[in-house]
Amino acid sequence: MIPGARLVLLGRQGAGKGTQCVRLSRHYVVPHISTGDMLRAAVREGTEFGRKAKDIMDSGDLVSDEIMVGIVDERLDRDDTRHRGYILDGFPRTVGQAELLAKITATDPLDLVIDLVVPTDVVLERLASRRVCTDCGANYSVDTPPKYGWVCDNCGGDVVQRADDTPEAIQKRLDLYERETAPLIAWYADRDLLAEVDGLGSAEEVTGRLVEAIDLRRRSGASPSS
Ligand SMILES: [Zn+2]
């Protein structure tokens, strides 16, 4: 296995994207960079774009694509990502963001964009059975409950169903994701950067398929990794 890869992972809520990002990050020894973490870190550290983002969020507005890409650019310019690569999680979300990302990664382009595909009925079932600790946010499900009653294994907090995990609310979030992301998936497919990977099965099985798709792309030499 050659360490290092430059990846974007796409997938609907409930597709298991978070779990697979962590596993791939260990496999390829690259940082897993999620949009939320990156934004919080930039604000905390007071980087140029972090300060801009903070001013905008303090005034109650949404951070623009330009500022978000500025934050991504600052993060990708660090030693760990420059030398080994990264897994981007939650970015880009739109074609506009993908175009800006292509500009800032022109010298070291993405190896692959992966769409983790899980059928709607499975996602609905997974999300409907999800239970969350109200204190620390740990995830459980009806099938994998805490050890003792609905009390969190980590912190002893109450484990409950989130109020917005009703079937109607879940369907609404999935529809929104579909509308936003379908053009992005088409955009990457047009540039021959997209692989669709089946997200059904155990975490190990899914990781195996992801690694296969990524290694196939790297062996094909379409975009040599450093
Ligand atoms: Zn907890």
Side-chain angles (χ1 to χ4, degrees):
M1 199 278 301
I2 319 150
R6 292 182 293 272
L7 307 169
V8 168
L9 205 57
L10 305 173
R12 304 189 284 188
Q13 205 183 12
K17 185 161 60 79
T19 305
Q20 293 303 327
C21 280
V22 171
R23 296 175 67 92
L24 287 177
S25 135
R26 288 198 195 117
H27 184 90
Y28 289 107
V29 204
V30 293
H32 164 207
I33 302 176
S34 86
T35 310
D37 291 346
M38 186 166 40
L39 186 57
R40 278 188 292 275
V43 169
R44 195 175 56 236
E45 290 162 21
T47 66
E48 182 195 344
F49 283 96
R51 286 197 304 274
K52 287 184 188 171
K54 185 174 185 304
D55 291 342
I56 292 166
M57 289 188 293
D58 285 349
S59 68
D61 285 327
L62 287 174
V63 176
S64 67
D65 281 357
E66 281 72 19
I67 290 183
M68 203 54 227
V69 168
I71 287 173
V72 174
D73 197 14
E74 287 175 341
R75 180 64 188 84
L76 298 190
D77 201 34
R78 296 199 180 178
D79 279 349
D80 57 346
T81 38
R82 272 220 317 270
H83 292 134
R84 295 205 302 274
Y86 46 82
I87 302 169
L88 279 178
D89 171 10
F91 186 91
R93 248 185 228 295
T94 62
V95 170
Q97 291 181 351
E99 284 168 346
L100 292 168
L101 178 64
K103 268 188 204 153
I104 63 172
T105 57
T107 46
D108 289 308
L110 293 172
D111 291 312
L112 194 60
V113 176
I114 295 165
D115 184 21
L116 192 58
V117 182
V118 173
T120 307
D121 54 333
V122 176
V123 168
L124 281 172
E125 202 183 292
R126 280 185 190 171
L127 291 175
S129 72
R130 179 165 71 168
R131 300 292 181 270
V132 181
C133 172
T134 50
D135 286 342
C136 75
N139 274 298
Y140 299 91
S141 80
V142 173
D143 307 315
T144 55
K147 283 193 191 74
Y148 307 104
W150 289 100
V151 174
C152 180
D153 292 340
N154 301 334
C155 75
D158 287 334
V159 174
V160 300
Q161 181 164 34
R162 276 170 38 165
D164 59 350
D165 272 352
T166 62
E168 296 75 28
I170 293 167
Q171 189 65 60
K172 220 171 148 182
R173 293 204 298 273
L174 292 179
D175 290 346
L176 176 69
Y177 176 83
E178 231 63 48
R179 269 205 309 282
E180 276 190 337
T181 316
L184 180 63
I185 287 175
W187 193 85
Y188 278 123
D190 284 348
R191 280 151 188 81
D192 194 28
L193 273 171
L194 187 80
E196 288 192 345
V197 172
D198 178 6
L200 283 180
S202 71
E204 290 77 13
E205 284 165 349
V206 176
T207 306
R209 284 181 214 129
L210 289 166
V211 166
E212 205 177 314
I214 294 162
D215 288 351
L216 180 70
R217 166 59 59 119
R218 297 197 309 172
R219 272 199 307 274
S220 77
S223 49
S225 281
S226 48

